[in-house]
Amino acid sequence: MVLKYPFPYNAWFTIANDPDNTNIKDWRELDKFIWQELGLPISNSLFVRSYNANLPDQVNLFQHPEITSQWHDIIHTWGDYMHSRGKGFDREDAEEAIKILKAHGVSPKVWIDHADFIGNLLHNSQKGALPYTKDLSGHQYKIYTYTLDLIKQIGIHYIWDGELTEIVGQDRAVNSWKYFSDISTSRLKAVVKFILLRLLPEKFVLLLKMKIPQNRQYFVEKFPDGNSFYCFRRYGTWKDADIYGLGNIIDSKVIDQLIDQNGTMVTYTHLGKRPFDRLQESFHIPDKTREALTYIRKKFDEQQLMVSPISQMLDYLVIRDHIKIDESKSTVHFYPDGIRYEKLELEDLGDHVFSFRSSKVNANALKVFLGQKEVPFHLVKHKSDIFSIRFE
């Protein structure tokens, strides 16, 4: 069988940051600690431009090109158009943003909606995904904030679904008792919900919001214009979505639980945002958050926790879920999924390692196919029944 994650890792962690409220001084402190000192192999998110009159010093690609020293595989919409006074958003702004991205060599794969931006796809607005609207008399009107075709055109493959989960560890089935125990404030509430789930008809379960989530890390979403993308959900809470709250939601106990649960985590946060009463602090990153991030580096070094950019995690999961292994023939076949990869190329596999457990496969006689075409690979034997393959 295909192991969930490359051997010997037991879980996979990443951060999907929103760049709101980040000034260049705090960005440099974050960069120095997370990307330079710790060397965490995660990516970052950016605003292409910022017109927010309440945050005139907010970091964005157009005004602060030094941020390209980090890898950015996420864009937080086409820019910050909140509180922009006389500056509205139009499709032409997206076209300009594309030129800026290309000029700086930024090729995003992930889109995250921003606040109440009119061009959002799922979070608080769907105007970015609707090419036309009709009135009750049948008249059709073009929507000039529609840009989903442009989003697809520049290579975006993954879109945040606009929701959060407090479940530690996605990419795994959730037991109903464990789920209610985790989210309930008392054991009694958990017991009551657990019993009601088994007694009530499904329509009442849905009405009371007691349905157990599928807890997948990614899933298909078909948009009004006919395009299909993979959506993903982020882990965290709205109240802890800043640099101080980050230390709470990913402390060492949570990370140990993630490893034990054998799941994935796409953490929701605003690395550049502080609570209002902390704005006068001379430092930006509090000790608790430094300790949490340092612990993640420790678990990565111990090869218990895989850490990567979000797009690398999601690409891996999509490819993994479309692998077929034939133990009787000692063959492994990689197939395209049809959404992220309409056609799977050998170069698409180059960033990944895939691990397998089987006592029946003859690793020495193993053959690997991309669809029906045999391809070269590198074999690594770990144990008598565990091996990995990687590609140039």
Side-chain angles (χ1 to χ4, degrees), residues 114-162:
H114 172 50
D116 294 319
F117 174 52
I118 194 171
N120 281 355
L121 306 178
L122 293 168
H123 184 66
N124 296 327
S125 173
Q126 294 184 328
K127 292 290 181 64
L130 291 168
Y132 299 97
T133 186
K134 279 187 178 181
D135 63 21
L136 294 178
S137 298
H139 296 280
Q140 181 170 279
Y141 305 95
K142 186 175 182 179
I143 297 179
Y144 290 95
T145 55
Y146 166 74
T147 61
L148 189 57
D149 60 331
L150 299 179
I151 289 168
K152 183 175 183 179
Q153 181 186 113
I154 66 169
I156 297 288
H157 301 293
Y158 304 105
I159 295 169
W160 176 48
D161 76 338

Side-chain angles (χ1 to χ4, degrees), residues 214-316:
Q214 292 187 329
N215 203 39
R216 293 171 295 182
Q217 185 58 83
Y218 74 95
F219 44 90
V220 178
E221 179 80 19
K222 188 168 184 177
F223 287 86
D225 67 350
N227 279 303
S228 291
F229 288 82
Y230 286 125
C231 283
F232 64 94
R233 187 158 294 179
R234 295 192 280 179
Y235 159 80
T237 66
W238 302 111
K239 67 180 180 65
D240 280 320
D242 58 40
I243 192 65
Y244 278 75
L246 182 62
N248 297 326
I249 63 172
I250 60 166
D251 66 15
S252 59
K253 291 182 180 178
V254 172
I255 296 303
D256 286 343
Q257 184 181 349
L258 172 64
I259 293 170
D260 183 61
Q261 299 283 19
N262 196 212
T264 57
M265 179 181 286
V266 176
T267 308
Y268 166 66
T269 192
H270 299 80
L271 291 173
K273 183 186 287 188
R274 310 185 206 180
F276 183 75
D277 60 356
R278 298 285 188 171
L279 292 179
Q280 302 307 314
E281 299 281 4
S282 60
F283 59 88
H284 182 71
I285 310 172
D287 288 343
K288 188 172 183 179
T289 299
R290 285 179 175 269
E291 291 168 4
L293 292 168
T294 300
Y295 190 74
I296 288 168
R297 178 72 223 196
K298 177 176 181 290
K299 291 300 173 181
F300 178 54
D301 289 341
E302 293 173 353
Q303 294 187 301
Q304 296 186 49
L305 182 69
M306 173 63 82
V307 181
S308 80
I310 178 176
S311 61
Q312 186 175 348
M313 171 199 283
L314 295 174
D315 281 351
Y316 170 86

Side-chain angles (χ1 to χ4, degrees), residues 61-113:
L61 177 61
F62 183 75
Q63 293 179 299
H64 305 93
E66 73 173 86
I67 67 175
T68 56
S69 63
Q70 297 172 0
W71 185 27
H72 293 81
D73 62 352
I74 307 169
I75 56 172
H76 202 28
T77 70
W78 297 113
D80 191 355
Y81 291 83
M82 302 301 298
H83 314 292
S84 59
R85 305 188 71 179
K87 173 61 180 173
F89 173 77
D90 183 86
R91 181 180 172 90
E92 291 180 353
D93 293 304
E95 293 168 345
E96 181 195 14
I98 292 172
K99 293 177 182 177
I100 296 170
L101 288 167
K102 288 181 177 179
H104 291 283
V106 179
S107 302
K109 294 184 178 180
V110 181
W111 169 281
I112 292 180
D113 282 342

Side-chain angles (χ1 to χ4, degrees), residues 1-10 262 316 323 325-327 331-332 354-363 366 379-389:
M1 68 173 185
V2 184
L3 297 184
K4 289 183 73 174
Y5 314 117
F7 182 85
Y9 298 96
N10 294 314
N262 196 212
Y316 170 86
I323 293 174
I325 180 169
D326 188 331
E327 294 183 318
T331 59
V332 173
F354 302 92
S355 300
F356 304 82
R357 182 191 300 274
S358 176
S359 58
K360 299 178 181 178
V361 169
N362 180 356
L366 185 70
L379 175 71
V380 180
K381 296 180 183 178
H382 303 291
K383 298 181 179 180
S384 60
D385 62 340
I386 296 178
F387 62 92
S388 295
I389 58 176

